[in-house]
Amino acid sequence: MKIGVIGAGNMGTAMVKGFEKAGHMSMKDFFIKSGTSNKAELLAEKVKAQLVNHYDDLSEMEVIILMVNEDAALDVIKQLKKVINSSTLLVSVVPAISIKEMEDVLSETQPIVSLLPNTVVEINQGMIGYHSNSYVDEAMIKALFQPMGKVIKVKESELSIFSTMSGCGPAIVDIFIEALSDGAVLNGMSRAMSYEVITEMIMGAAQLAQQGVHPAKLKDDVTSPGGSTIKAVATLEKNAFRYALIDAINGVQR
């Protein structure tokens, strides 16, 4: 299967490296379109993929993954209309562009997927949402992307909030880790040890939450009367920790 890639920014790089790490596709079958910078060239060289310079070079692709900014997306799709055939699967990683907008440029029968990955697909731990039109083979979507993370079908009405949660979430967690580390260092722990302790703690807590137990119960199970944990929780509540997180997500959606 030949796969064309347009866009070698942060998300494009993470996606291509994720394919390389997963190993379920030959990187020789990836054709990365060059851009105005040398990012595509460097990425293709790094993962041993093919570098192409013209849209015509993508005419034989079975799948094209589009990972450009929203301002350029429709113009790129107009260029693709001239070279792809009616069965080419277009995978758009541009949340702001709807499937209907892409169909209006290409065709109502063009197989189109709106894909919502996050950057941890690079290490095959991604949370990947997708919505597609009725002309897409969903088994192909799962075969392509499941090796790089968990793949979930999302309602069209949920695409925006899914993108916010999966896309912005890692940065929010990174700030959380950094702040916890600052607190640990302030109280005498080395920076290196704090990061080791915090990241392991987060992974363990996440695995418990994935077992289906409500987070409130998990919290209650470790907050003994008058203990250190409930004191920490009370301080978070005093500083509107929950509301800050809610407002951060809501701020993106406004």
Side-chain angles (χ1 to χ4, degrees):
M1 180 186 296
K2 293 182 178 180
I3 300 175
V5 175
I6 303 175
N10 291 339
M11 189 66 251
T13 297
M15 181 75 77
V16 171
K17 287 183 176 179
F19 276 112
E20 180 191 33
K21 179 176 175 62
H24 64 300
M25 306 288 295
S26 170
M27 297 313 294
K28 292 181 180 179
D29 291 329
F30 281 79
F31 296 76
I32 303 175
K33 169 75 171 60
S34 62
T36 55
S37 72
N38 66 343
K39 290 180 180 179
E41 182 178 359
L42 293 174
L43 178 60
E45 184 179 351
K46 185 174 182 62
V47 301
K48 305 291 192 294
Q50 312 292 324
L51 180 73
V52 297
N53 297 314
H54 307 288
Y55 287 104
D56 288 348
D57 298 326
L58 301 175
S59 61
E60 296 182 3
M61 301 298 107
E62 294 170 69
V63 179
I64 292 179
I65 306 176
L66 181 65
M67 294 176 283
V68 299
N69 65 60
E70 63 179 276
D71 293 335
L74 289 178
D75 286 338
V76 172
I77 293 169
K78 289 174 184 177
Q79 293 296 323
L80 289 174
K81 183 180 181 179
K82 302 173 186 177
V83 299
I84 63 174
N85 60 54
S86 60
S87 63
T88 305
L89 172 62
L90 177 62
V91 179
S92 167
V93 188
V94 188
I97 305 298
S98 70
I99 288 177
K100 177 65 167 60
E101 288 176 286
M102 291 183 275
E103 287 176 339
D104 287 345
V105 175
L106 298 170
S107 161
E108 289 186 358
T109 59
Q110 189 79 40
I112 300 174
V113 174
S114 184
L115 195 77
L116 304 169
N118 52 14
T119 53
V120 288
V121 293
E122 182 174 338
I123 58 170
N124 299 162
Q125 295 294 318
M127 175 57 69
I128 306 166
Y130 78 93
H131 184 77
S132 64
N133 63 13
S134 59
Y135 300 96
V136 169
D137 179 358
E138 294 190 36
M140 179 188 289
I141 296 301
K142 292 178 180 178
L144 275 173
F145 297 106
Q146 248 173 4
M148 295 190 292
K150 187 168 185 177
V151 177
I152 299 176
K153 187 172 184 177
V154 180
K155 296 177 183 176
E156 189 167 19
S157 62
E158 296 174 332
L159 287 172
S160 178
I161 184 60
F162 188 98
S163 176
T164 297
M165 290 301 299
S166 67
C168 301
I172 293 171
V173 173
D174 290 339
I175 292 171
F176 177 63
I177 291 170
E178 184 183 23
L180 281 177
S181 176
D182 285 346
V185 171
L186 181 64
N187 286 275
M189 182 179 282
S190 72
R191 183 69 70 182
M193 180 177 286
S194 74
Y195 283 143
E196 182 177 1
V197 170
I198 293 162
T199 52
E200 287 294 329
M201 173 272 295
I202 289 174
M203 287 191 291
Q207 288 175 7
L208 279 175
Q210 285 180 328
Q211 294 178 4
V213 181
H214 196 286
K217 184 179 187 307
L218 294 173
K219 181 262 295 179
D220 288 348
D221 287 347
V222 295
T223 49
S224 55
S228 58
T229 303
I230 193 61
K231 290 177 181 177
V233 169
T235 302
L236 291 176
E237 297 291 3
K238 178 182 177 181
N239 289 280
F241 178 72
R242 292 173 191 254
Y243 180 76
L245 292 174
I246 293 168
D247 202 37
I249 300 303
N250 201 37
V252 178
Q253 295 296 297
R254 282 197 286 263

